[in-house]
Amino acid sequence: MGEEEKETASNYRYWVRETKADAAPLPLPKKLSPNHTDHNPNLPTLGSVWNKAGTWEEKNLNKWASDRIKELLVAIGSLEFSAGKAEISEVSKCYGDAFLVTVRNKKRVGYTYELTLKIKGEWTVKEEQKTVKAHIDIPEFSFGELDDLQMEIRLSDGKDLPQQINQDLKLFLQPIREKLLQFEQELKDR
């Protein structure tokens, strides 16, 4: 190297393995069982066997939560009103996330969901029996916030129906809230 090249060359060097023969072999994965020998039975841990320290582990519960919410809400059954009755015929939209997190060996659960419920009912309007179809939209609800549950009602044939039907359908709020509180408790108990 000439004098000029020495001045422009950097003195910084980083460690590099020259050959793969110098490298240590990669560790092979091994499956752990619940009664793994390294596990200390005196320390109860939550979550997976591999997470003995209980640092952070997140479990996706979306499938279970969506199925359970649908099951609970359809089970509400029929509500009787002064001039008719209605029931939730289907949960047409159940979109969101539910999860269980183990952090520092403590279990925490949470969820955020949006719902649309199809309502089918019959009312007596001006001494005539009418079949009414409606949708109840619950734009967003999440863990611990069911006291503030909001819902919007859309009547399929809302132009010629009395406002009383809209008021009657608002009575679904309490049974829906009760079923979602039951869902929250079941989520906590998982």
Side-chain angles (χ1 to χ4, degrees), residues 170-187:
K170 289 182 181 180
L171 295 176
F172 270 103
L173 181 62
Q174 189 56 36
I176 290 171
R177 183 180 288 133
E178 288 170 7
K179 291 296 183 179
L180 293 177
L181 283 168
Q182 180 183 343
F183 163 73
E184 246 181 45
Q185 188 59 48
E186 290 177 13
L187 183 63

Side-chain angles (χ1 to χ4, degrees), residues 42-102:
N42 298 331
L43 297 173
T45 60
L46 294 172
S48 299
V49 174
W50 59 264
N51 192 6
K52 289 185 238 171
T55 53
W56 180 274
E57 184 176 341
E58 187 170 341
K59 186 175 182 182
N60 181 328
L61 298 174
N62 292 345
K63 172 90 172 95
W64 173 84
S66 295
D67 291 346
R68 189 63 182 142
I69 288 171
K70 289 176 184 178
E71 183 181 327
L72 288 170
L73 292 177
V74 171
I76 287 175
S78 182
L79 293 185
E80 299 283 333
F81 309 110
S82 60
K85 64 180 182 176
E87 68 179 359
I88 298 171
S89 62
E90 179 186 348
V91 179
S92 58
K93 175 183 166 188
C94 184
Y95 176 75
D97 293 309
F99 53 87
L100 176 123
V101 175
T102 305

Side-chain angles (χ1 to χ4, degrees), residues 34-186:
N35 49 359
H36 184 65
T37 56
D38 291 346
H39 181 69
N40 185 349
N42 298 331
L43 297 173
T45 60
L46 294 172
S48 299
V49 174
W50 59 264
N51 192 6
K52 289 185 238 171
T55 53
W56 180 274
E57 184 176 341
E58 187 170 341
K59 186 175 182 182
N60 181 328
L61 298 174
N62 292 345
K63 172 90 172 95
W64 173 84
S66 295
D67 291 346
R68 189 63 182 142
I69 288 171
K70 289 176 184 178
E71 183 181 327
L72 288 170
L73 292 177
V74 171
I76 287 175
S78 182
L79 293 185
E80 299 283 333
F81 309 110
S82 60
K85 64 180 182 176
E87 68 179 359
I88 298 171
S89 62
E90 179 186 348
V91 179
S92 58
K93 175 183 166 188
C94 184
Y95 176 75
D97 293 309
F99 53 87
L100 176 123
V101 175
T102 305
V103 62
R104 294 188 183 142
N105 223 5
K106 291 183 182 173
K107 184 171 72 169
R108 293 182 173 97
V109 292
Y111 66 87
T112 302
Y113 268 85
E114 298 174 20
L115 293 173
T116 298
L117 311 172
K118 283 187 181 178
I119 306 293
K120 192 166 81 174
E122 293 182 357
W123 272 266
T124 305
V125 178
K126 298 178 185 174
E127 298 182 22
E128 183 181 330
Q129 196 73 10
K130 285 205 170 215
T131 300
V132 176
K133 293 182 180 178
H135 291 85
I136 294 178
D137 294 317
I138 302 174
E140 183 179 11
F141 63 99
S142 57
F143 187 81
E145 297 179 2
L146 292 177
D147 291 338
D148 300 328
L149 193 65
Q150 300 291 318
M151 61 185 220
E152 300 164 9
I153 298 169
R154 295 180 286 130
L155 295 173
S156 297
D157 303 324
K159 295 173 186 159
D160 60 339
L161 295 175
Q163 187 64 23
Q164 182 59 40
I165 294 175
N166 201 13
Q167 293 301 317
D168 286 348
L169 289 175
K170 289 182 181 180
L171 295 176
F172 270 103
L173 181 62
Q174 189 56 36
I176 290 171
R177 183 180 288 133
E178 288 170 7
K179 291 296 183 179
L180 293 177
L181 283 168
Q182 180 183 343
F183 163 73
E184 246 181 45
Q185 188 59 48
E186 290 177 13

